[in-house]
Amino acid sequence: MATIRQLLGAAAPVCVSCRDCALKPICLPAHLPGDEARALEAAVERGRHLPAGATLLRAGEPMSALFVVRSGSAKRYSVTLDGAEQVHGFVLPGEAVGLEGFAGGHFTCEVSTLEPLSYCRVPMSKLEQLMERLPGLRREILRLLGQALEESQRLRGELAQSDARGRVAHFLADLSQRLARRGLSPNEFRLSMSRADIARHLGLTLETVSRALGTFKREGWLRVRARDISVLRPDALAALGGLPA
Amino acid sequence: MATIRQLLGAAAPVCVSCRDCALKPICLPAHLPGDEARALEAAVERGRHLPAGATLLRAGEPMSALFVVRSGSAKRYSVTLDGAEQVHGFVLPGEAVGLEGFAGGHFTCEVSTLEPLSYCRVPMSKLEQLMERLPGLRREILRLLGQALEESQRLRGELAQSDARGRVAHFLADLSQRLARRGLSPNEFRLSMSRADIARHLGLTLETVSRALGTFKREGWLRVRARDISVLRPDALAALGGLPA
DNA sequence: AGCGGAATTTGATCCGTGTCAAGTACTGAC
DNA sequence: GTCAGTACTTGACACGGATCAAATTCCGCT
């Protein structure tokens, strides 16, 4: 996903307004009426950066703001009692982070960057004020949460039902479709996460992930060279992964 | 969970206000200031009933209202392309249903009753009006969604990490704790769902669920007679299921 | 109380993944 | 360019859970 950084980050290094942002069609204000979008814009803190491997937020920390990734990618995870990492998912540009924080006012999982990352921040105090008078924003935040919930449940179902190949296919097809929505090539991309991260996300071991990729390669569905992926048969992957299209 | 029906349903067959409701300490208005709770109460449609095996709501249906179960229990599930049932979870009294609907304005999973069920309804139109002027209610709905999201992710992690015994232990310990919060015995209860439902919820087969219960029984952690469960070692179950206490 | 169908338990076998162990390829630093 | 460290691939084997099959228990019904 160096591509992500290049196309969406470097191409528009300093955005002053959401109007000029490359993520406009995907990001939070996308569904807001003009006046509400302007009001929200005024509350957004832009242009924040982190290097690769940094921590964006930590479990237990008070939910001071809503975060939206602008460029780069990140890993959401939590650490279990016995020290193991549960990877909840991966965050792409235009996606909000830390929504579970609404439950108790503090974040409940760690988010750390997989590559250099830039993001926007909307302080919670301002967000609450805005929600008071902007019905569209209220609906949008609820929509965001609903979507996250739906997505989480869909994924849980996938985990419960599929075998290793199905899970890896789902992961790739899903990533591919999310990249496509961001105007990036759905069939040529570079994974920003390790096999171990993918494995911990899918409830598998890294060896099994590697083997699944191996079989896809042998069957001519993929070309794999380390973290560079070329999807040759997106249809086959989507079908096996239980995704439409 | 006939117990649930008896204690919370039959004991208070017709509630006219949330103030008198047995679920008061758990339900939606619990965290609202007095005036907001009163305003919400006025919008609630109470006293609706369904027999066992009925459908409360269906995927694809417009999200006309927020539902809260009053007594009885239900199963949330969706049907995959190949006709299999994915069980997302089970709903107990005081729990809201259909929150994923906020994503796109219509429900995305089926909910059907496991035993006779009564519920309250808050029409979406009224809910939106109320959210306009009640900041506490706004926060409460966000809290509800955040909680559902957090819960869903925790469960996904559990699925990804645990083996069959761990998952069944988690299921039992979680159910036990939720019953306790409702003032019911956490150690003596009757399951309202079949082994097959539990299995589809946990990503296992019904035989494996049965065997896991068998081993718990043999180890003296449980007494099992069909759907009646006595928990003898709640601590052991919770520990194996990755839950505190 | 007794009957019939469904739910559950129990048993035997097989396959998919986890585990352990090398070996190979990649990446970044000098 | 080379080197060291890390990430990834590949192989052999063991084990947990799926699958198929049968026996048993439970529950609603007459």
Side-chain angles (χ1 to χ4, degrees), chain B residues 1 5 23 27 48 58 61 68 79 91 96 100 128 132 157 159 165 167-168 192 220 225 236:
Chain B
M1 269 171 267
R5 185 160 84 248
L23 291 170
C27 194
R48 291 164 173 266
R58 208 173 283 284
E61 191 172 279
V68 179
V79 181
V91 191
E100 330 80 47
E128 293 202 340
E132 179 103 34
L159 265 191
R165 276 168 47 97
R167 295 184 203 182
V168 175
S192 57
R225 195 188 153 266

Side-chain angles (χ1 to χ4, degrees), chain B residues 53-57 73-77 110-114 117:
Chain B
T55 298
L56 179 55
L57 52 92
S73 58
K75 162 173 85 159
R76 301 187 306 113
Y77 65 99
E110 322 264 327
V111 180
S112 67
T113 60
L114 291 166
L117 178 140

Side-chain angles (χ1 to χ4, degrees), chain A residues 2-219:
Chain A
T3 9
I4 296 168
R5 185 161 84 249
Q6 284 150 20
L7 292 190
L8 299 178
V14 179
C15 285
V16 280
S17 87
C18 297
R19 250 184 318 253
D20 304 331
C21 182
L23 291 170
K24 197 182 151 194
I26 301 168
C27 193
L28 231 163
H31 302 269
L32 296 182
D35 54 327
E36 295 203 12
R38 264 187 301 278
L40 176 61
E41 265 188 60
V44 175
E45 300 174 2
R46 261 168 284 263
R48 291 163 172 268
H49 293 268
L50 284 174
T55 297
L56 178 57
L57 53 91
R58 211 173 282 284
E61 192 171 279
M63 186 188 191
S64 54
L66 192 65
F67 293 81
V68 180
V69 170
R70 177 94 76 77
S71 68
S73 58
K75 162 173 84 161
R76 303 187 306 112
Y77 65 98
S78 54
V79 180
T80 55
L81 298 168
D82 54 357
E85 229 178 64
Q86 281 184 351
V87 176
H88 297 302
F90 303 100
V91 192
L92 297 187
E95 294 178 340
V97 157
L99 293 172
E100 330 79 48
F102 280 113
H106 46 81
F107 297 119
T108 57
C109 65
E110 322 265 327
V111 180
S112 67
T113 60
L114 293 167
E115 48 188 337
L117 179 138
S118 68
Y119 62 97
C120 298
R121 240 182 75 102
V122 189
M124 281 306 286
S125 55
K126 291 199 181 170
L127 188 64
E128 293 201 340
Q129 283 168 26
L130 288 173
M131 282 203 288
E132 179 103 34
R133 53 192 187 81
L134 305 181
L137 180 62
R138 271 202 303 273
R139 229 168 290 138
E140 182 63 8
I141 297 288
L142 288 174
R143 197 183 62 79
L144 227 58
L145 273 159
Q147 225 166 35
L149 183 58
E150 196 186 327
E151 174 60 21
S152 169
Q153 292 190 353
R154 228 169 36 80
L155 210 89
R156 219 187 52 77
E158 197 57 34
L159 266 190
Q161 288 221 326
S162 315
D163 60 1
R165 278 168 46 97
R167 294 184 203 182
V168 175
H170 179 93
F171 168 74
L172 289 173
D174 176 67
L175 185 59
S176 172
Q177 293 179 5
R178 280 156 75 200
L179 291 174
R181 289 197 49 214
R182 283 157 186 78
L184 298 164
S185 165
N187 297 327
E188 304 282 332
F189 50 87
R190 163 169 268 263
L191 299 172
S192 58
M193 67 294 284
S194 69
R195 302 286 192 267
D197 285 336
I198 300 174
R200 282 188 292 259
H201 177 49
L202 299 177
L204 301 169
T205 59
L206 63 99
E207 291 96 330
T208 302
V209 171
S210 178
R211 275 188 249 269
L213 291 173
T215 68
F216 294 152
K217 193 161 69 172
R218 223 166 299 122
E219 285 161 12

